[in-house]
Amino acid sequence: MVNQPGRKSRFTLFLLFSLAALSALTPAPSFAKSRAAHKSARSLPSRLGRARATSRSLTPQRNVGRLGRVTRDKTSISAAPDSKPLYSIVPSDTYLVLAGQRGDHYAVLMVDGRYGWVRKANVELLNYDVVTGRTGNPGVDSGNQLVQDAFKYLGLPYVWGGYSTTGTDCSGFIKAVYAQNGVNLPRVAREQAKIGQDVPPNQLQPGDRVYFSFKGKYIDHTGMYIGNGYFIHNSISNGRVAVDQLTTTKYWRRLVCARR
């Protein structure tokens, strides 16, 4: 499990939402729709709807927002579009959950349940919708919970052999997320890959672990599939926990196996 946050990850812990608490969020403010956004399959919802429970024990899945990636260094996130107070300044390649839009700004879900605002010009929309809630299907719900917990580590620095909120390596990140969900995995990737059910690449589901060999001798990297061809991992190349496309040549050709 992770301990006290380090200095380098404070902005992440402040910015990135606690997905476990998202079911209690109130709707975002109303946002004006644009025709282009309405027609685009990659557009954001202009309004967040309040989830309605069909029973006391089941919260239907709902679309919380769209995953976005900051493309400009020193991007500001403020309490209102172009106004103070300033919540934070984040580096490029920071991943955010965008919950709505107003004019030339996106609404960003914050860890404390508030909404921050970031300029659209500074963010690239990714083809991944963040959802929350329970479906009643144990397999699906378990995978969604793993993904939700993994998102809490976005931006955490890469530290070889690390296993805390000051930093982790690839297998330390996966081990920490699974430990939060009651699964004790081995410490290194090649040993983790021996645990669990084998999953063919064309049957991957959110929460499945993916394992790679970059040196060609043995499994030396791991991450977690999150859906729509994306996976989340902590890598030397990114320098932090980040999201990448599994189907790119860099990763797909080096994929060895997947486990559930």
Side-chain angles (χ1 to χ4, degrees), residues 122-172:
N122 295 351
V123 180
E124 172 193 12
L125 292 183
L126 301 179
N127 188 26
Y128 180 80
D129 291 321
V130 180
V131 297
T132 189
R134 290 171 291 178
T135 65
N137 183 322
V140 172
D141 291 343
S142 175
N144 286 345
Q145 185 62 54
L146 285 164
V147 171
Q148 291 169 14
D149 288 337
F151 268 105
K152 299 174 187 177
Y153 291 79
L154 275 174
L156 189 72
Y158 181 92
V159 176
W160 188 84
Y163 188 56
S164 73
T165 50
T166 60
T168 71
D169 57 14
C170 63
S171 56

Side-chain angles (χ1 to χ4, degrees), residues 49-260:
R50 189 184 301 272
R52 295 182 178 179
T54 56
S55 72
R56 293 181 180 179
S57 61
L58 180 63
T59 303
Q61 281 192 306
R62 64 186 179 94
N63 190 327
V64 175
R66 176 63 55 87
L67 187 67
R69 182 180 66 87
V70 174
T71 58
R72 296 186 183 182
D73 205 21
K74 298 181 179 180
T75 288
S76 299
I77 298 180
S78 54
D82 286 329
S83 68
K84 295 181 179 180
L86 183 67
Y87 282 163
S88 189
I89 297 177
V90 299
S92 60
D93 293 325
T94 298
Y95 286 80
L96 307 170
V97 174
L98 309 172
Q101 56 188 323
R102 179 183 296 165
D104 59 356
H105 282 72
Y106 289 132
V108 180
L109 283 177
M110 312 296 285
V111 69
D112 59 2
R114 294 180 295 177
Y115 293 96
W117 296 87
V118 61
R119 280 191 168 275
K120 290 181 177 180
N122 295 351
V123 180
E124 172 193 12
L125 292 183
L126 301 179
N127 188 26
Y128 180 80
D129 291 321
V130 180
V131 297
T132 189
R134 290 171 291 178
T135 65
N137 183 322
V140 172
D141 291 343
S142 175
N144 286 345
Q145 185 62 54
L146 285 164
V147 171
Q148 291 169 14
D149 288 337
F151 268 105
K152 299 174 187 177
Y153 291 79
L154 275 174
L156 189 72
Y158 181 92
V159 176
W160 188 84
Y163 188 56
S164 73
T165 50
T166 60
T168 71
D169 57 14
C170 63
S171 56
F173 164 59
I174 294 299
K175 178 177 174 64
V177 174
Y178 268 78
Q180 287 183 245
N181 289 267
V183 179
N184 185 24
L185 292 174
R187 181 62 184 83
V188 298
R190 59 180 176 270
E191 294 300 322
Q192 290 180 4
K194 299 176 182 179
I195 306 299
Q197 173 188 347
D198 181 61
V199 180
N202 64 347
Q203 296 180 24
L204 281 169
Q205 296 179 8
D208 290 344
R209 293 170 281 130
V210 286
Y211 292 92
F212 309 85
S213 177
F214 281 86
K215 296 179 182 179
K217 296 181 179 180
Y218 51 81
I219 290 173
D220 51 24
H221 187 60
T222 183
M224 180 186 295
Y225 187 71
I226 64 175
N228 282 26
Y230 290 99
F231 76 109
I232 185 171
H233 62 141
N234 202 349
S235 67
I236 296 177
S237 59
N238 288 324
R240 63 177 69 89
V241 175
V243 175
D244 280 303
Q245 285 187 295
L246 182 62
T247 53
T248 60
T249 301
K250 176 181 178 180
Y251 295 110
W252 191 252
R253 292 180 62 180
R254 294 171 174 85
L255 179 64
V256 176
C257 63
R259 296 288 184 262
R260 181 176 301 156

